[in-house]
Amino acid sequence: MTQAGQACADGESALSRGDTTAAEHHFRHALALIGAQTGDSTTEDVAATAAGDTVTDDATGCARLAARALTGTGRVLLARAEIAAAEAKFERARALRPAAAGPLHWLGCAAAHRGDLAAAERHLTASLACAVPHSRSLVQRAYVRARAGDVAAALSDLRTAALAAPLDDEARWVEAALSGRSAREVALRLRRAALTAPGALGEGTKTHDEGAGTPDAGTGTHDGRNGLRAGELIDAARGLDPTPWSFVPLHAVALVRSGRRAAALALLDDAVRHDPADHRVTHTLAVALLNSPPKEGSSLWERCVAAWAALLHDAGFWEHALTTAARRYGVPVDPSLMPALRAGVREVLERRMPDDGATARVAPGPLLQREADAAKLLAAVGGLPSAGGGGGPLFCGPLRIAELGRSAEFGAFAAARDAASAASAASAAPAASSYPSLTYAFSELGFAQLLLGQDKAADALAALSELRCPGCRAGGGPGAAAVCEPGCARFDELNPGYAGLPDKHRRLSLDARGLALEARLSMGRAELAAVRPDFGAAAAYWRRALVHSRELDRYRETQTAVVDMALGAARAAHREGRLSLAVDTLDMTRSVIGANARARLEGQLARVLADRGISVANDEEALLDQPAADLRRSVAFNPHLLRAQVSLGAVLRGLAGARWSSGSLSGARVTLREAVDRLTAALALFPDDPDLEEQREAAVADLDHVMWQPDESEQ
C-alpha cells in the first residue's frame, strides 16, 4: 500500500497548488493500486472488499487509503463545481470510514455549496464530534452559521477555533466583520486575505482547504479558482474603503492573476491619479498594459506608451532597479550602467510596439519616441512640480499630462521655462538662440521635432501638414487651417505645452510654420549633399522657407542660414576639386537670396570661378571661351582678386590668338581691345603691379601688330 499512499499524498499536494488535473490523476492511480492489491477490477468494488465480514489489517489499510483517495477525488469535483458527483464520492468515503471526520467535513462543505445550510451545519457538527475532528470544521461551521444569520454562534465558533490555533486571514476578516469592527479595519483584513489567497500572486503557497465559503462570497475552495477569490476579496475591500491604499501593485497583480485585468488596470489608474510620481504603481501599470491583449482603437497603446515614457527618465525608478539588482545578485551595480539599461528597455519596448497605425491617431512606435524624448526634456529641467507641492516631481510625456488633467498647469510651466531658456540662450550667444523647447515637445509639434532630429525633414513637413484632432479634421475640410478650431475641447489634451496660453491656437500655428521653415531649409541642404544635386528642388525649398520667414519676421536670420549652408556645401565641393558643383551651388543660391545677402556668396563665387577658369585654361587642349567667361565673372564679382585680373589678361590674349588663327582677325582685335581695357582698369586698383603691367604691355603690342594686318573679310 506504500505506492497508493504516495499517490494520495501527491494528489493532495497537487490540490494545494490548485492543479486539479494532476490531483485527479494521482487519486485515480491510488484507487487503481488499491483495486489491484485487493483483487477487485473496479474502484467501486474496493469499498465492498474493505468492508467485508473478515476484517484484517490489510483490509483496514485498504479502507483508509480508499477513503482518502475518494475524498480527494470528491474535492477535485467540488473544485469544478460538480457538487452532486463530489457528494457521491464523499458518501463512499464515509461508508468506508464512518467514524472519520474527513468525509463528514467535506460533505458539509458540499452541502454549503448547494445552499443547504442546515445539512452543512449537521455534517460539520458531526465532524467536530469525531474522536479526531477535522481541523477546519469549526471555522467552516462558523461560515455556515454566519450565512444562516446566526452571528452569535458564528462568532463563538471562530473564537473557539482561535484558542486552538491562530485564525488565517480569511477567518480574521470574517471575525472582524461579525464583531462590528470599522469598515476600514474589515477592508484591511480583506486585502490581507486577498494577498495571501493561494495563487493570488502566482505562488503555490499551501494554505487551508475550504469548501463551505465565507459569508459574502459563497465559495472559497482551494483550487484553480483561488485567483478569482482574491479578486472578489479585493472588490469587497474597495467597496468598504474606496480611498487609495498601500500595496496597490500587489493587489493589482492579484486581480490580474484572477483574470480581472480590467479591474487591475482601473485600480492602478486610480492609484496613478492619486500619486503619479509613485514609480512602483506606474511600473505595474506599464507592465500590465504591455501584456494586455490588443483592443480596438489606440487608447490602450496610448496608455501603455504614457506609462513607459514616465518610467524611462524617472531617476527614482532606475535607482530602485539598481538596488534591486544588487540585492538579487549579491554584488554592487555600477550606476554608470543605467544609461545602457535605459536604452535597452526602450529598444525592447520599441520592438514590442505594433507598427500598424491604421486604427490609431499615431502609430505606437513614433508615439513612444515622442513621449520618451519629451520626458527626457522634462527630466532635464527637474520635472513638473507636484500639484500643491504635496508630492514628488513628475517625469513624463504629454500623454500622461493629459491623462492627469494637468494640461493648463503644464502650459504655464512650459511657457515660463521656455522664456527663461530663450533669454539665457540669447544672452550667451545671440547668433545661436536655439534651445530644446518644452512647448514644442509637449504638443503635436513634437512628432515633427522628433523627425527633424532624425534628419527626416520630408516626413517632418508631412507631419506638420495636419495638426488637428480627428473631430476638427472631419469638420474642417481640406482648405481649413492645420490646427484645431478655437473652441476645440481636445486642443489642450493634444497640446498641453500650449494649454493656458491666451493665443494658443495662433502660437501653435506660428510655431508649426517655424518648424516647416526648418524642414525646408534642411531639405534644401540635403539636395545639395546628394550625389546628383537637384538644384531646382533646392531652390524651391529655400524660396518657400524665405516666404515662411517673412511671415515669422525671421527673414534676415533665414537668409543668413541659407547663405551659410550654400557656402558650406560649396567649400566642401571646392576642397574635393568639384569646381563646377561649387559654382552651380553658389549660382543657385544667388538666384534665391535677396540682394542684401549676396556679398558673401559673390566673394566665394569669385574665387571658385577664378580657380575653374585657370584650371581649364591650363589644359592645352581646352578652348578658352569658357575660362574667359569664368574669369570675367570672377573679376565682376571681386575686382580686387589680383590672381583673377592677371589670369583674365593672359586668357584674353590667348583667346585673341586662337581667333586670329581661326581666321577671325576682327574677333582677335575685339578681344585684345578688351584685354587692354581690363588690364588698364586693373592697374588702377593695383598700381605698379609688375604682372599686370607685363600683361598690359604684351596686350598693347599684340593689338598694334594685329591692327596692321589686312583683314580679308574687310576686303
Side-chain angles (χ1 to χ4, degrees), residues 7 36 45 48 53 102 117 155 214 258 285 306 327 337 347 351 374 378 458 715:
D45 296 327
D53 295 333
L117 300 182
L155 272 173
T214 45
S258 72
L285 176 63
R327 185 167 57 247
L337 296 175
E347 182 180 344
R351 288 202 303 267
L378 185 56
Q715 295 176 0

Side-chain angles (χ1 to χ4, degrees), residues 32-71:
L33 290 171
I34 295 167
Q37 178 70 23
T38 59
D40 297 309
S41 58
T42 62
T43 55
E44 285 76 2
D45 296 327
V46 172
T49 301
D53 295 333
T54 303
V55 180
T56 65
D57 290 340
D58 286 344
T60 302
C62 285
R64 183 181 298 109
L65 285 173
R68 184 179 176 185
L70 287 166
T71 300

Side-chain angles (χ1 to χ4, degrees), residues 85-337:
E87 285 185 308
K89 297 296 182 183
F90 297 146
E91 289 288 3
R92 289 181 180 280
R94 185 172 66 164
L96 285 169
R97 301 194 67 205
L104 289 167
H105 172 86
W106 288 106
L107 279 168
C109 291
H113 275 276
R114 285 192 292 104
D116 189 346
L117 300 182
E121 183 174 1
R122 184 170 65 253
H123 288 308
L124 291 167
T125 300
S127 171
L128 290 167
C130 292
V132 182
H134 192 283
S135 60
R136 292 293 301 173
S137 291
L138 198 56
V139 171
Q140 288 297 310
R141 191 175 69 175
Y143 293 165
V144 169
R145 287 175 167 177
R147 290 175 62 191
D150 193 345
V151 175
L155 272 173
S156 175
D157 280 350
L158 288 173
R159 288 166 181 165
T160 302
L163 295 175
L167 297 178
D168 60 23
D169 292 306
E170 279 271 357
R172 283 177 179 169
W173 82 256
V174 174
E175 190 271 338
L178 296 177
S179 300
R181 308 276 179 84
S182 68
R184 183 167 181 78
E185 180 179 348
V186 175
L188 288 172
R189 293 188 180 279
L190 277 166
R191 290 163 189 152
R192 182 172 179 81
L195 294 180
T196 56
L201 302 180
E203 300 171 352
T205 307
K206 182 177 180 179
T207 58
H208 62 80
D209 296 317
E210 289 296 352
T214 45
D216 68 322
T219 176
T221 54
H222 180 75
D223 55 65
R225 292 178 296 148
N226 277 306
L228 292 172
R229 176 66 178 151
E232 292 169 351
L233 293 172
I234 289 174
D235 285 344
R238 293 189 73 196
L240 289 172
D241 181 20
T243 58
W245 22 276
S246 302
F247 307 111
V248 165
L250 290 177
H251 290 108
V253 171
L255 286 170
V256 171
R257 293 285 302 178
S258 72
R260 304 279 304 286
R261 185 176 294 273
L265 294 177
L267 175 66
L268 290 165
D269 281 338
D270 288 347
V272 165
R273 288 186 176 86
H274 173 69
D275 186 3
D278 188 341
H279 61 75
R280 298 169 303 172
V281 175
T282 300
H283 185 216
T284 308
L285 176 63
V287 172
L289 288 168
L290 186 64
N291 291 285
S292 294
K295 293 182 177 179
E296 293 281 336
S298 61
S299 61
L300 183 142
W301 281 116
E302 287 194 357
R303 291 167 64 199
C304 180
V305 165
W308 279 109
L311 293 172
L312 282 173
H313 296 284
D314 187 330
F317 171 75
W318 293 103
E319 289 170 6
H320 175 73
L322 292 181
T323 302
T324 302
R327 185 167 57 247
R328 180 183 301 120
Y329 300 117
V331 295
V333 180
D334 194 329
S336 64
L337 296 175

Side-chain angles (χ1 to χ4, degrees), residues 466 468-485:
E466 184 56 84
R468 294 172 295 181
C469 70
C472 289
R473 189 181 310 162
V483 301
C484 288
E485 299 297 325

